[in-house]
Amino acid sequence: MKQGLSLRVSQHLALTPQLQQSIRLLQLSTLELSQEVDQMLDENPFLELSTEEAAREEFGLAQADVPAREDEGSSFDELPATAPKELAAATETSTTEPDSAPSTLEDEPTWDGDGQVEMAPDDSEWGGDAPPSRNNLGEDGEVDATELARSQESLQQFLHRQALALRLSPEDSAALRFLIESLNDDGYLEDPLEDLARGLAGDDLEQVEELVHHFTVALRLLQSLEPVGVGARDLRECLSLQLRQLQSDEGGVDDILPDTLEVAIKLCGQPLELLARRDIKRLQQLCGESDERIRAALSLLTRLEPKPGRRFVDVERNIIVPDVIVTKIGRGAQVRFRVQLNADVMPRLKVHDIYASALRSHKGEGHAALQQRLQEARWFIKNIQQRFDTILRVSNAIVERQKNFFVHGELAMRPLVLREIADELGLHESTISRVTTAKYMGTPFGTFELKYFFGSALGTETGGNASSTAVRALIKQFVASESTKKPLSDNQISEMLKEQGIECARRTVAKYREALRIAPANLRKAL
């Protein structure tokens, strides 16, 4: 083989450090961007926070009013709306540490069009949208929950604080602390007392028996604390504890009859699958009670809290702060929508003037390295400006194409894919995907992720297309208005959609129903 030299001309795309940083900042969420800014402020001396609000045009904050065209009708406009000493030593280190500082998002205000954000816990596992238990989340309970949200108190801290008021021996107090630390996030004690004792005492049967005795006493004390139902071993015991607490209330409960409480306690002793299916006839035979009393008891059970520790876990959730806010201006035919960035989530950065001036007058050793750090600070500020400008451009394009949603709601959502926005703005689809991920828009109907406004298209009889988001909303509407004695099957829902002119197969309906966390027809039926 003969060796030789040759010249070849080619073109390739090189990602400069500035471009790489721009892409990375674009895909960060609001919380991640705040952490990135804090890190850059610590590492780069030429970067500082500005105490004055920068001009809006400097950050690409020019507002855009998008008119709502009433004449552009939607295809859904006409649709209906150890030993004791060993145990004490083992639990010395189990006391709860103070919570860490809350995340940045939790300290910022939220907006959902009405000035507040309501984030209800997911009740799909128990009775759908059942109201909370009166003995856990009543009027007084709501006040306590608000205080807990402010102090970021965990379930273990809340229980340890109550345990301080109990006069217990050192052994029983250590056993109670150990059980409290053994609870899961839902407030359940998953491990049997014997297993907990063996984990501390090993194979010493005498110590195991002594520990089980102390754990048994501590468990009764734990189950007497708030929230009611904490320390239960399973769902059946959790519900029974709450019902017995209602029975023992001296003042009683105004809207709950004593007979209903007795029947509800009987139901807790029956197989839970019968309660999930609401098989009233079978429950009548097992309990020997009338249809009316069984239904009243089932209604009471749906008001109880199946996860006593849930409200303490919810406290630790990050509050969603919208990156973009859409407000409605005008009425009637003159209605418009103003799209603007949320100034509360925008970092106000600038180059440190004193350090920059000192660098210009200093040409000694290390000047090149300092000059590089100054350039990095300028790139960082420019890339953040470009990030928010891109978010605003994409948000304007979304509002322009989904005007009917902002007027009529999710039933009027139109099909939209990333390519349409990318072609309109002259950007790549991957850029639109980065912009719409973990970025949120505050609308008059609530706060939604930007990806929410994109959906696939389903064909209609008229040759048009219907958005999958609108179809899911329509399915939710059908299920909400169905009869509990004869719930709609997936095939029936598919036929109803065809009557509305939407071609949607049964398997597609099942997929959308599962995405909405709606139970199948056999579990929604009241037997």
Side-chain angles (χ1 to χ4, degrees), residues 75-144:
S75 59
F76 295 98
D77 289 347
E78 300 178 358
L79 295 181
T82 57
K85 294 182 180 179
E86 296 175 354
L87 173 62
T91 56
E92 285 179 356
T93 59
S94 64
T95 53
T96 308
E97 298 292 335
D99 285 354
S100 58
S103 62
T104 305
L105 288 179
E106 293 172 339
D107 294 336
E108 298 182 355
T110 60
W111 187 90
D112 67 347
D114 297 327
Q116 59 184 357
V117 173
E118 297 182 4
M119 302 180 66
D122 182 13
D123 285 328
S124 61
E125 299 180 18
W126 183 256
D129 296 328
S133 168
R134 179 171 180 168
N135 57 325
N136 277 342
L137 294 176
E139 296 179 357
D140 296 336
E142 292 177 353
V143 176
D144 293 339

Side-chain angles (χ1 to χ4, degrees), residues 426-445:
L427 301 174
H428 195 270
E429 286 185 54
S430 61
T431 302
I432 306 300
S433 179
R434 292 186 179 97
V435 172
T436 56
T437 301
K439 314 298 188 302
Y440 296 87
M441 176 184 291
T443 73
F445 294 99

Side-chain angles (χ1 to χ4, degrees), residues 471-486:
V471 175
R472 284 195 293 266
L474 197 55
I475 292 174
K476 187 193 302 183
Q477 190 178 87
F478 289 158
V479 173
S481 59
E482 70 181 2
S483 173
T484 56
K485 295 183 178 180
K486 294 183 179 181

